[in-house]
Amino acid sequence: MLQFILRRISVSILILFLGSMLMYFATINAGDPLEDLRESRAENRQQLMDARTEAMGLNLPWWERYLGWFTGVSKCLVLNCDLGATRDGADVGSLLLASAGASLRLVIVATFLAIVIGITLGVLSAIRQYSGFDYTITFSAFLFFSLPVFWAAVLLKDFGAIRFNSWIADPAIATTTILIVALLFALVLASVMGGTLKRQAITFLVSATVIFVAVFWFDRIGWFTAPALGIPLIVVGGLAALAFMLVMTVGLANRKIMYAGLVTIGVGVVSYFATLPILDDPSGWLVILGLAVVTVGVGLAIGWLMGGYDRRTSMAVTTGTALGMAFLVFMDNLLRAWSGFLELTGTRPISTIGENRLIPDRFDGTFWEGIFNWGVQLILPTIVLTLISIAAYSRYTRASMLETINQDYIRTARSKGLSDRVVFTKHALRNALIPITTIVAFDFASLLGGAVITETIFGWRGLGAMFRAGLDTVDPNPVMAYYLVAGGAAVLMNMIADLAYAVLDPRIRR
């Protein structure tokens, strides 16, 4: 494996070097960097042209300009990078740090959500092949995969920002609209749950009633402008997290581990009231991180003390349940700050451009309101990038899972009496993830490239904006900085994918 990794690193460096030469040559020949000055009527036009020619090295052959750039980049090996300056004299290294932070924040969130949701939907579609749920996911996947990025982004910008801001100023939902929404959600839920026609009908009626009553009640009490979860919903969410962890591990029949999970929920309820003074306005993320570490420790301790002979599984269940409860408590405190954030923004919470609703240096809200200011602008561009990736992940996962569950070793596992849960999660899914790992590696790098369009539409000052500005002004330095990040991400993710292969299938190590 060590020889393989070193060999891949050497090949990757060579590919990046050759690609950088091609990118540099294509960029400097994409237009005239003096075009704006040639059309100028300024009296000192010639002096300005001479100064720019000297600053950008336009009087030098392309290979000398490239070697100058490559020499500066080579200094990164000694942690003294010199990426040059833009046409206007701005330091590209500083621009890259600011732009990469905005773009990576967007791409990492979108990639994480796409992986979790897409793989989950793909596995469920394979398990329930040719069911109503499978047909629904298949149709949705093809629909979202076919959507042009710019068209979907413009629609979300209109409905998710402009019209939402107008609605939230005086939120009200018509009873007819609530009924339609309840019926649509109930139809989707019934198809997901599956079963006989009678079971699906009962699921449809119960879920439609619950959703209609909940949304109707939220509308009447003004929940959309002053939301909160409250301890009842947190307990229900904790029970749902416990049920999920049990289903994914030992099933609902293991009473000892179930009791450990219930004790964890009880401790979570006590902790909710105990941490109210701390979470009212934390001093920073270190407090949240510290509480998360304590949560994991408490979950592990309960699982160890009550797990008996199956302590390892018990610790996994209680820790997962504890983290689920902690997340709901976090969301409860965050939602309670929504009304304050609305006041700060004048009931126009989502702007159509930029990565922050309010200027961070001038923002004087609480910690929780600061999270809204930082994250609310992530929602729309993240949805655009996530939907397209989910479509691909779900289809690839479904195909890989179907191929895996038809293998001989899966039939052997079933013949041994193992439950479907164990067969699918512990035997089939691990091998089905091997080809998906490759898709994830390529998709992360391609999202950086696709974010150029998304960032342009939503006005994010990220890598896409820097890349586009470099192309518009025929300035190679910003373009090459973008190439370093995108190319480096592609190489790094493929390296991680190679290592993941060895973890998923030990035979690959040989």
Side-chain angles (χ1 to χ4, degrees):
M1 281 298 296
L2 180 59
Q3 293 179 354
F4 173 76
I5 293 173
L6 294 176
R7 193 162 54 245
R8 284 298 304 271
I9 291 176
S10 302
V11 173
S12 300
I13 292 175
L14 178 61
I15 292 174
L16 284 175
F17 173 71
L18 296 176
S20 65
M21 291 181 63
L22 180 61
M23 177 68 78
Y24 197 94
F25 180 79
T27 302
I28 63 176
N29 288 280
D32 182 10
L34 301 176
E35 181 179 2
D36 60 321
L37 294 179
R38 297 185 196 280
E39 299 175 353
S40 174
R41 295 184 179 181
E43 296 181 357
N44 61 339
R45 183 185 67 172
Q46 188 59 44
Q47 289 81 358
L48 294 175
M49 293 175 62
D50 293 340
R52 183 178 295 178
T53 300
E54 180 67 24
M56 297 183 65
L58 301 179
N59 53 345
L60 300 175
W62 75 270
W63 55 270
E64 286 191 25
R65 297 176 62 188
Y66 173 78
L67 286 179
W69 173 84
F70 184 77
T71 301
V73 172
S74 300
K75 296 179 181 178
C76 292
L77 297 176
V78 293
L79 303 179
N80 188 26
C81 293
D82 181 12
L83 303 181
T86 65
R87 189 180 72 173
D88 300 325
D91 182 60
V92 174
S94 301
L95 291 177
L96 179 62
L97 290 176
S99 301
S103 291
L104 291 178
R105 179 176 54 167
L106 174 62
V107 171
I108 289 175
V109 173
T111 303
F112 175 78
L113 292 176
I115 291 173
V116 174
I117 300 175
I119 291 179
T120 301
L121 293 178
V123 170
L124 293 176
S125 296
I127 294 175
R128 305 176 64 177
Q129 186 182 17
Y130 302 134
S131 64
F133 174 76
D134 184 27
Y135 288 130
T136 302
I137 297 302
T138 300
F139 173 78
S140 301
F142 283 118
L143 175 64
F144 292 138
F145 193 77
S146 303
L147 287 178
V149 175
F150 64 89
W151 182 75
V154 170
L155 282 182
L156 278 175
K157 193 173 181 178
D158 182 26
F159 288 94
I162 299 173
R163 302 196 184 190
F164 175 80
N165 288 336
S166 301
W167 175 79
I168 199 65
D170 185 20
I173 306 178
T175 304
T176 305
T177 304
I178 298 176
L179 179 61
I180 294 174
V181 171
L183 292 176
L184 290 176
F185 273 94
L187 182 62
V188 172
L189 184 60
S191 66
V192 171
M193 298 299 293
T196 62
L197 184 61
K198 180 180 179 181
R199 177 181 173 181
Q200 292 186 31
I202 295 175
T203 302
F204 175 80
L205 292 175
V206 172
S207 57
T209 303
V210 171
I211 294 172
F212 178 84
V213 172
V215 177
F216 185 83
W217 175 251
F218 287 161
D219 181 55
R220 291 300 179 268
I221 65 175
W223 189 87
F224 299 105
T225 54
L229 293 180
I231 195 63
L233 288 180
I234 292 176
V235 172
V236 171
L239 292 173
L242 173 60
F244 174 79
M245 295 300 299
L246 289 173
V247 169
M248 294 300 293
T249 53
V250 295
L252 301 175
N254 193 314
R255 299 290 182 181
K256 183 172 291 187
I257 297 181
M258 180 185 294
Y259 293 150
L262 293 175
V263 170
T264 304
I265 294 175
V267 173
V269 172
V270 176
S271 301
Y272 172 79
F273 295 101
T275 57
L276 281 177
I278 302 175
L279 293 177
D280 182 52
D281 189 11
S283 57
W285 282 102
L286 287 178
V287 176
I288 304 298
L289 182 60
L291 291 176
V293 172
V294 173
T295 300
V296 172
V298 171
L300 291 174
I302 295 175
W304 173 267
L305 294 174
M306 301 185 63
Y309 293 105
D310 202 3
R311 283 176 173 169
R312 183 176 179 180
T313 303
S314 178
M315 291 166 67
V317 171
T318 53
T319 302
T321 304
L323 288 175
M325 287 280 292
F327 175 76
L328 292 174
V329 173
F330 177 88
M331 290 304 300
D332 179 66
N333 285 274
L334 182 61
L335 289 174
R336 292 179 187 274
W338 175 249
S339 57
F341 182 70
L342 286 178
E343 294 179 2
L344 290 173
T345 57
T347 65
R348 307 288 295 181
I350 302 179
S351 64
T352 55
I353 59 173
E355 59 269 24
N356 288 293
R357 180 62 183 88
L358 301 173
I359 300 175
D361 294 338
R362 303 177 185 175
F363 184 77
D364 58 353
T366 65
F367 171 81
W368 301 106
E369 293 166 353
I371 294 179
F372 278 117
N373 185 51
W374 177 86
V376 72
Q377 304 304 106
L378 276 174
I379 297 174
L380 298 183
T382 298
I383 290 176
V384 173
L385 297 177
T386 302
L387 286 179
I388 298 173
S389 297
I390 284 177
Y393 287 151
S394 63
R395 299 307 299 164
Y396 282 117
T397 304
R398 179 183 183 275
S400 181
M401 194 72 178
L402 285 175
E403 181 180 0
T404 302
I405 61 179
N406 290 321
Q407 298 293 324
D408 290 339
Y409 73 92
I410 296 296
R411 284 191 286 270
T412 301
R414 283 175 168 166
S415 66
K416 290 164 60 178
L418 297 177
S419 64
D420 287 342
R421 175 185 56 79
V422 175
V423 170
F424 289 134
T425 58
K426 292 189 176 181
H427 293 271
L429 181 58
R430 182 171 180 174
N431 288 302
L433 287 178
I434 294 177
I436 307 302
T437 305
T438 305
I439 306 301
V440 172
F442 281 106
D443 191 58
F444 182 82
S446 65
L447 273 181
L448 281 175
V452 174
I453 300 175
T454 306
E455 289 177 8
T456 301
I457 294 175
F458 288 101
W460 276 58
R461 295 183 296 274
L463 290 171
M466 186 179 67
F467 176 77
R468 185 170 59 86
L471 289 181
D472 292 342
T473 58
V474 199
D475 189 355
N477 288 339
V479 176
M480 297 308 296
Y482 172 85
Y483 170 80
L484 287 177
V485 175
V491 169
L492 177 62
M493 292 304 296
N494 276 279
M495 183 67 64
I496 294 175
D498 290 335
L499 298 178
Y501 296 153
V503 174
L504 293 171
D505 189 353
R507 294 174 299 177
I508 296 178
R509 301 173 191 172
R510 304 185 179 90

